Structures are given as C-alpha cells and as structure tokens.
C-alpha cells in the first residue's frame, strides 16, 4: 500500500546525496529536478502529474544523484521497498 504526502510550493522532496529509500508518483502538482554543481543548482528536468521519479535509486540502493523540489503545492504517492516486496523467491 502506498502512502500519500503533501508538499508546499518550494519544499524540497529530497536532497542530492540523501539515501534512496523511496520513489514518488506525482498525484497533483509539479516538481523540478536539480543537479547541484560548483556553480550552484541547475534545473535538469520538470515533471508533472502521473510521472514517477526517484525509482532508480530505490532499485540500486545508491544515494540520490539529484535534488527534487515542488514547483507548486503537490501531492505525491510514496513507494517504498516494502511496497515492492510483493513476490518473494526461495
């Protein structure tokens, strides 16, 4: 079962370098994806309703390679590793 979480405009969803413990589906609103560089933050993408993000880190267990921030008031569906642990192999 996935959980939903609301984010305010400008709120950071996750930071570059943080643990990749979940992915998100945008239920409403929009998100910008940023890469932190020596020169500052660089926008590398914008996502809208029904798009998923953060899934690569969830699968490979590596720290986040980007920062995600809500461009407007948004609701996200949160997907954790436990949500993906549906089929167990022996």
């Amino acid at each position: 079962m996935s959980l939903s979480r609301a984010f305010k405009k400008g709120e950071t969803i996750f930071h570059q370098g943080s643990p990749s413990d979940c992915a998100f589906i945008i239920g409403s609103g929009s998100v910008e994806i940023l890469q932190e560089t020596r020169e500052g933050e660089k926008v590398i993408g914008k996502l809208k309703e029904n798009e998923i993000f953060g899934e690569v880190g969830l699968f490979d267990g590596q720290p986040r390679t980007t920062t995600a921030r809500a461009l407007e008031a948004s609701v996200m569906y949160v997907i954790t590793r436990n949500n993906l642990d549906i089929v167990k192999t022996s």
Side-chain angles (χ1 to χ4, degrees):
M1 176 163 90
S2 65
L3 304 172
S4 63
R5 179 159 175 224
F7 291 89
K8 296 177 185 174
K9 178 181 180 177
E11 186 174 357
T12 299
I13 299 162
F14 57 74
H15 290 280
Q16 184 172 323
S18 64
S20 297
D21 55 356
C22 62
F24 299 88
I25 299 172
I26 303 171
S28 65
S30 58
V31 172
E32 64 181 350
I33 305 298
L34 307 122
Q35 186 88 55
E36 296 175 22
T37 67
R38 292 180 188 178
E39 294 80 32
E41 293 180 333
K42 177 181 175 184
V43 177
I44 60 170
K46 294 184 180 181
L47 305 171
K48 59 186 183 316
E49 192 172 318
N50 297 321
E51 292 190 273
I52 187 170
F53 63 101
E55 73 282 3
V56 173
L58 182 62
F59 294 127
D60 70 15
Q62 298 297 311
R64 306 272 187 199
T65 59
T66 58
T67 294
R69 184 178 300 135
L71 283 170
E72 58 188 303
S74 302
V75 174
M76 310 290 163
Y77 296 101
V78 182
I79 303 166
T80 66
R81 283 189 182 94
N82 289 339
N83 297 128
L84 301 175
D85 193 21
I86 298 169
V87 178
K88 294 187 181 216
T89 59
S90 51

